């Protein structure tokens, strides 16, 4: 997928012009936090749950070499073939090789952000394979030739009307009108059922890999991932090396938080654990199963300053609670992962140079960190990335000069106080009548969008000193 | 390619990992606290389970003995399909039911195109999540969970556990005895999607209706109690 993260501001302005989408984002941004908080309340003690999950995730990452070795042994013992991919290209060619070895032409896919990251679909399609996304949201955007706008609900940006038009265009509907959402879902179900029954290869992601028994865990509501895992003769599980959990019951803490944080459900309809190919006496299931584990910068993240980001469980809560995401939507972020988690991940998985606009797409409001079930300090990580951006001189020189000047003045208290003691009363005097400014020299970036409030007469230090003197007067 | 990728990745991970013997790592893992389970919606485990099934948008019924069970299945079939046919996995517990007494005509095996109802017997069920658990295999082909429009699941009261941790204790015991099944499926409700404008629709790919029949001795008013807790 072509990356457009560094034109974030332009992408954002463009996104705001589509008022229909902006309205829908607005109502989703009101609704999803309500659903989440009701579900979290029902979960009991959110803080202990997330601390427990954090401990387990940290312990797994601290001992990743050990648990990954154990997982590999168990998975091979269960009959899987294991593959390791250093980067996106390697994962794509491993998957293509497997498909070609089976002379496969038709592939069905469950939702997988990892394969979005590697651009697997277009790679397989270029090699002549018929690749069908089967998660309804992914199917919609695949038909519309678009990219996901949300990590959990990828077609969030589409209206029902747009989906109806799309299906009219792409499907042979005959006299069917697809009046409501139920009709549209039934239509997609019917079309995709054919694909499930004909496909030779199924590709799914994994929410976790269980080291003690070599199972991979898949969490969905639609059941499409399970159809991909059970109907085609060959199954390929694509995920990343950091998804490991020591034991099956360690998935419990994650499961108690994942769906509640993502959709406000207490859990999803399907939580499945798959160990490998069909056993003797089984009536269905794949004959051959492969697990492809992608690194793509995760091993570097493990030793770096942003390691906590590996604890992310991809619930999407930080997106749903982010005022920037709510305003501009996922496409403005210009790559696979949007919102706060995407603004941290994108620079780490691509480069800060290609995406330094993203860590700046943050108001530091802190809502993301408050709701993150993995307790990831997202605003801190974003701040650190901005700091790196300045050190690497990636931000515009005007900004850097301004920041330097500000830093220098702040370190000279006498000068800072003298300057503010001159400017503040002056601004107070000038803005007294209207209470705010519509234009100010050197501050057009602010006043172009909104008024600048006129300050109080005195500076904080003046008031503070006056307050200090009072008791002695 | 894969072999060199593997060794390169493991080399990096070994540098990043803390090291220590397998025993030491296991000891550290043992010391981690376990996750607190949410408060159940009722103190009695059967009631809590049925309430959570309803919350998951499943429908519920109870049956004390085998005669009542086949009758409950027959009633459901007649209500929705005016039929007596269904498909069921080759589960000896299902085969032993007196189907003929209620006029039900089960076909044992994997689901085929056009069959709208499948019947499963859960290995266990979890009150905490209102989920039933099946293992893939002859007794319960995976497709029987996924392809029908309606899935009916029988749950023996004795196979009901309170929490997800207890479910794993049972599953691990089963695995020790009988080996690892290919798939372990926790199912908690009909298949659903909210991918079009956030509107919840049932029957996305799998069943649009999911019906649970709890078998065994249960309090007479348990269904009414469960329904009143949800409405
Ligand atoms: S960063 Fe936290 S809130 Fe955001 S997707 Fe990951 S786990 Fe969820």
């Amino acid at each position: 997928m072509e990356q457009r993260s560094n034109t974030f501001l332009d992408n954002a302005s463009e996104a705001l012009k589509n008022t229909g989408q902006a309205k829908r984002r607005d109502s989703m941004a009101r609704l999803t936090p309500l659903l989440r908080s009701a579900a979290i309340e029902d979960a009991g003690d959110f803080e202990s749950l997330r601390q427990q999950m954090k401990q387990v995730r940290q312990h797994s990452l601290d001992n990743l070499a050990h648990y990954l070795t154990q997982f590999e042994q168990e998975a091979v013992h269960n009959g899987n073939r294991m593959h390791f991919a250093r980067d996106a290209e390697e994962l794509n060619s491993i998957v293509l090789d497997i498909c070609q070895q089976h002379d496969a032409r038709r592939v069905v896919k469950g939702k997988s952000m990892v394969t979005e990251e590697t651009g697997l679909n277009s790679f397989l399609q270029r090699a002549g394979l018929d690749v069908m996304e089967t998660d309804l949201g992914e199917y919609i955007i695949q038909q519309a030739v678009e990219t996901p706008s949300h990590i959990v609900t990828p077609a969030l940006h589409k209206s029902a009307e747009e989906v109806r038009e799309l299906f009219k265009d792409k499907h042979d509907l005959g006299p069917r009108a697809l009046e409501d959402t139920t009709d549209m879902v039934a239509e997609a179900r019917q079309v995709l059922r054919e694909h499930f029954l004909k496909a030779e290869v199924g590709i799914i992601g994994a929410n976790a890999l269980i080291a003690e028994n070599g199972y991979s865990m898949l969490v969905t509501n639609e059941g499409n991932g399970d159809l991909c895992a059970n109907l085609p003769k060959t199954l390929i599980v694509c995920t990343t090396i950091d998804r490991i959990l020591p034991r099956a019951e360690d998935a419990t803490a994650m499961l108690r938080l994942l769906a509640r944080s993502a959709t406000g459900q207490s859990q999803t309809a399907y939580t499945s654990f798959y160990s490998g190919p069909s056993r003797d006496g089984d009536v269905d299931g794949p004959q051959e199963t492969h697990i492809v584990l992608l690194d793509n910068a995760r091993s570097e993240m493990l030793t770096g300053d942003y390691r906590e980001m590996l604890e992310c469980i991809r619930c999407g809560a930080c997106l749903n609670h982010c005022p920037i995401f709510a305003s501009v939507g996922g496409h403005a972020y210009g790559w696979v992962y949007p919102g706060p988690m995407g603004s941290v991940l994108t620079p780490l998985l691509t480069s800060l140079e290609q995406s330094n606009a993203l860590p700046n797409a943050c108001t530091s409001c802190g809502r993301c960190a408050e709701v993150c079930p993995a307790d990831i300090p997202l605003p801190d990580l974003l701040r650190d990335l901005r700091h790196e951006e300045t050190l690497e001189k990636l931000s515009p020189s005007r900004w850097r000069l301004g920041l330097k000047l500000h830093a220098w003045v702040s370190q000279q208290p006498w000068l800072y106080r003298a300057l503010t003691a001159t400017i503040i009363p002056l601004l107070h005097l000038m803005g007294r009548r209207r209470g705010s400014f519509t234009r100010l020299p050197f501050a057009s970036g602010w006043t172009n969008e909104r008024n600048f409030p006129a300050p109080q007469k005195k500076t904080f230090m003046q008031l503070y000193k006056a307050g200090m003197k009072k008791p002695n007067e | 390619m894969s072999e060199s990728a593997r060794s390169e990745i493991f080399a990096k991970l070994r540098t990043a990992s803390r090291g220590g013997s397998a025993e030491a790592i296991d000891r550290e893992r043992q010391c981690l606290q376990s996750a607190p389970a949410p408060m159940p919606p009722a103190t009695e485990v059967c009631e809590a389970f049925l309430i959570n099934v309803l919350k998951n948008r499943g429908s519920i019924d109870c049956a004390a003995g085998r005669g009542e069970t086949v009758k409950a299945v027959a009633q459901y079939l007649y209500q929705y399909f005016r039929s007596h046919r269904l498909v069921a996995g080759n589960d000896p517990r299902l085969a032993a039911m007196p189907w003929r007494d209620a006029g039900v005509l089960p076909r044992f095996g994997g689901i085929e195109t056009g069959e709208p109802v499948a019947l499963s017997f859960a290995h266990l069920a979890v009150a905490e999540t209102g989920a039933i658990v099946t293992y893939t295999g002859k007794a319960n082909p995976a497709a029987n969970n996924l392809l029908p429009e309606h899935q009916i699941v029988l749950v023996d009261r004795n196979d009901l556990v309170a929490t997800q941790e207890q479910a794993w204790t049972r599953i691990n015991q089963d695995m020790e005895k009988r080996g690892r099944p290919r798939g372990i499926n926790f199912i908690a409700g009909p298949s659903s999607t909210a991918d079009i404008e956030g509107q919840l629709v049932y029957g996305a790919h799998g069943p649009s209706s999911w019906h649970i029949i709890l078998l065994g001795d249960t309090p007479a008013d348990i269904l009414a109690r469960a329904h009143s807790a949800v409405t």
Side-chain angles (χ1 to χ4, degrees):
Chain A
M1 174 175 169
E2 192 203 339
Q3 191 175 355
R4 299 178 304 115
S5 309
N6 259 357
T7 51
F8 177 82
L9 290 176
D10 297 336
N11 307 346
S13 310
E14 206 46 48
L16 288 168
K17 283 186 200 149
N18 186 332
T19 46
Q21 285 190 5
K23 257 197 199 146
R24 278 199 302 283
R25 280 198 298 271
D26 203 44
S27 54
M28 286 308 275
R30 283 166 215 268
L31 179 68
T32 42
L34 293 178
L35 294 174
R36 175 205 164 265
S37 63
I40 290 289
E41 218 160 276
D42 161 75
D45 188 352
F46 174 63
E47 202 45 48
S48 348
L49 268 175
R50 75 167 171 177
Q51 288 318 321
Q52 199 272 346
M53 186 171 75
K54 196 167 185 71
Q55 281 184 8
V56 171
R57 293 290 291 138
Q58 273 173 352
H59 169 81
S60 316
L61 292 171
D62 282 347
N63 302 292
L64 191 52
H66 168 78
Y67 285 125
L68 200 60
T69 311
Q70 192 186 5
F71 176 79
E72 188 189 21
Q73 276 165 3
E74 296 300 329
V76 169
H77 173 80
N78 294 342
N80 295 284
R81 302 198 193 162
M82 292 291 297
H83 309 263
F84 288 86
R86 278 169 286 215
D87 53 28
E89 272 162 45
E90 282 190 359
L91 179 134
N92 293 348
S93 22
I94 292 168
V95 173
L96 178 61
D97 275 355
I98 301 169
C99 294
Q100 286 175 338
Q101 277 161 24
H102 291 86
D103 289 325
R105 300 211 35 81
R106 282 171 295 236
V107 176
V108 279
K109 266 189 84 217
K111 191 168 156 307
S112 143
M113 290 311 289
V114 169
T115 57
E116 289 284 351
E117 185 182 321
T118 67
L120 179 65
N121 284 12
S122 51
F123 185 83
L124 295 180
Q125 281 161 342
R126 279 201 298 278
L129 288 167
D130 174 7
V131 184
M132 191 54 69
E133 289 286 354
T134 61
D135 168 83
L136 179 61
E138 289 281 349
Y139 174 71
I140 291 169
I141 56 168
Q142 187 187 30
Q143 296 304 305
V145 198
E146 290 173 7
T147 53
S149 58
H150 191 289
I151 58 170
V152 176
T153 44
L156 185 68
H157 57 286
K158 285 261 184 253
S159 67
E161 189 48 44
E162 285 168 326
V163 176
R164 182 180 299 119
E165 288 309 311
L166 181 73
F167 284 2
K168 274 188 186 163
D169 184 31
K170 303 277 174 179
H171 296 180
D172 184 11
L173 288 179
R176 282 169 298 152
L178 303 187
E179 271 169 21
D180 52 20
T181 332
T182 313
D183 291 347
M184 292 181 232
V185 172
E187 169 64 19
R189 174 188 169 109
Q190 195 183 328
V191 169
L192 287 167
R193 184 60 70 91
E194 291 297 306
H195 287 274
F196 281 122
L197 296 172
K198 285 187 191 145
E200 294 109 352
V201 175
I203 299 178
I204 57 169
N207 296 76
L209 302 169
I210 312 298
E212 68 170 346
N213 55 24
Y215 278 77
S216 65
M217 177 176 90
L218 182 70
V219 175
T220 73
N221 269 317
E222 295 185 9
N224 64 309
D226 293 283
L227 285 166
C228 293
N230 287 291
L231 297 190
K233 287 289 159 239
T234 305
L235 169 66
I236 310 175
V237 181
C238 297
T239 190
T240 49
I241 51 170
D242 52 308
R243 296 290 105 191
I244 294 273
L245 290 174
R247 297 186 185 179
E249 66 239 47
D250 293 332
T252 316
M254 187 196 274
L255 291 171
R256 287 188 179 127
L257 287 170
L258 180 58
R260 286 186 168 91
S261 304
T263 54
Q265 297 168 277
S266 53
Q267 81 278 289
T268 56
Y270 301 97
T271 306
S272 304
F273 295 80
Y274 292 108
S275 64
S278 215
R279 305 282 191 261
D280 285 348
D282 277 6
V283 254
D284 53 12
Q287 298 303 311
E288 198 176 296
T289 55
H290 297 259
I291 300 175
V292 190
L293 295 183
L294 173 72
D295 180 344
N296 211 25
R298 269 77 179 180
S299 54
E300 274 104 57
M301 279 171 73
L302 202 58
T303 48
D305 296 337
Y306 302 94
R307 175 187 158 116
E308 274 170 296
M309 204 55 221
L310 292 173
E311 288 160 24
C312 169
I313 60 167
R314 307 286 190 268
C315 71
C318 58
L319 281 62
N320 299 340
H321 289 75
C322 173
I324 307 275
F325 180 87
S327 310
V328 303
H331 287 150
Y333 292 78
W335 199 55
V336 179
Y337 302 102
M341 59 83 78
S343 298
V344 177
L345 264 184
T346 310
L348 302 174
L349 298 183
T350 62
S351 73
L352 190 54
E353 216 170 345
Q354 285 167 284
S355 54
N356 63 315
L358 298 188
N360 290 289
C362 170
T363 63
S364 300
C365 71
R367 271 183 106 193
C368 51
E370 230 168 74
V371 297
C372 174
D375 197 22
I376 301 173
L378 292 153
D380 296 353
L381 300 183
L382 288 167
R383 185 206 50 222
D384 292 349
L385 282 165
R386 291 197 293 272
H387 186 59
E388 259 186 57
E389 180 202 11
T390 310
L391 292 179
E392 289 178 26
K393 299 196 170 55
L394 294 172
S395 44
S397 52
R398 234 163 13 105
W399 289 20
R400 273 181 285 125
L401 190 70
L403 279 174
K404 245 192 207 155
L405 197 68
H406 179 80
W408 184 78
V409 174
S410 315
Q411 283 165 31
Q412 325 293 325
W414 61 272
L415 179 62
Y416 188 88
R417 281 175 207 159
L419 281 174
T420 48
T422 321
I423 296 168
I424 296 294
L426 198 66
L427 284 179
H428 171 75
L429 213 62
M430 284 162 58
R432 196 172 37 176
R433 198 166 310 151
R434 300 184 57 187
S436 62
F437 297 92
T438 47
R439 281 197 4 229
L440 264 183
F442 308 114
S444 59
W446 177 294
T447 54
N448 283 349
E449 304 293 333
R450 51 217 182 282
N451 291 351
F452 187 88
Q456 302 276 322
K457 199 171 180 180
K458 293 200 163 131
T459 67
F460 170 77
M461 280 311 287
Q462 285 167 335
L463 291 172
Y464 178 67
K465 275 190 184 153
M468 293 269 283
K469 273 186 198 143
K470 253 185 204 152
N472 303 332
E473 277 169 7
Chain B
M1 176 177 59
S2 200
E3 197 37 49
S4 68
R6 181 189 178 282
S7 31
E8 204 177 289
I9 291 170
F10 268 103
K12 283 195 200 164
L13 294 184
R14 270 190 286 269
T15 338
S17 294
R18 266 215 318 245
S21 66
E23 292 72 39
I25 294 173
D26 198 44
R27 263 201 309 279
E28 191 186 301
R29 157 70 191 69
Q30 305 272 19
C31 292
L32 303 181
Q33 310 156 5
S34 67
M39 274 286 283
T43 41
E44 211 275 314
V45 71
C46 288
E47 191 180 337
F49 171 66
L50 292 175
I51 290 172
N52 282 331
V53 169
L54 288 174
K55 283 189 182 166
N56 294 338
R57 300 303 176 101
S59 50
I60 53 171
D61 203 351
C62 285
R66 296 200 302 184
E68 279 187 37
T69 307
V70 292
K71 227 190 272 163
V73 172
Q75 262 167 12
Y76 186 89
L77 284 176
Y78 192 72
Q79 185 187 347
Y80 287 97
F81 297 96
R82 297 275 180 270
S83 146
H84 290 105
R85 290 180 190 282
L86 51 70
V87 61
N90 268 306
D91 186 322
R93 293 174 298 176
L94 289 177
M97 294 271 175
W99 295 113
R100 247 189 281 160
D101 296 358
V104 177
L105 301 168
R107 186 182 71 73
F108 291 100
I111 189 167
E112 277 164 19
T113 320
E115 288 183 307
V117 196
L119 173 73
S120 306
F121 208 129
H123 258 281
L124 64 142
V126 195
E128 175 194 337
T129 53
I132 62 100
V133 182
T134 59
Y135 301 158
T136 59
K138 223 168 55 191
N140 199 76
N144 290 20
N145 290 340
L146 298 164
L147 292 179
E149 285 162 36
H150 287 230
Q151 185 186 21
I152 306 173
V153 187
L154 308 183
V155 175
D156 188 325
R157 195 197 179 300
N158 298 320
D159 293 329
L160 191 56
V161 297
T163 65
Q164 298 188 62
E165 283 83 359
Q166 290 171 8
W168 278 107
T169 309
R170 280 277 306 266
I171 296 170
N172 287 334
Q173 284 165 356
D174 283 351
M175 288 205 272
E176 262 179 34
K177 269 189 249 152
R178 279 174 272 160
R180 294 172 187 163
R182 179 178 67 81
I184 302 167
N185 302 102
F186 288 69
I187 304 177
S191 147
S192 68
T193 180
D195 272 348
I196 304 177
E197 284 197 9
Q199 291 172 29
L200 195 58
V201 177
Y202 293 99
H205 288 287
S208 53
S209 299
W210 187 66
H211 186 64
I212 303 297
I213 306 175
L214 186 60
L215 316 186
D217 287 337
T218 47
D221 61 344
I222 195 163
L223 289 176
R225 287 213 311 257
H227 280 290
S228 70
V230 177
T231 47

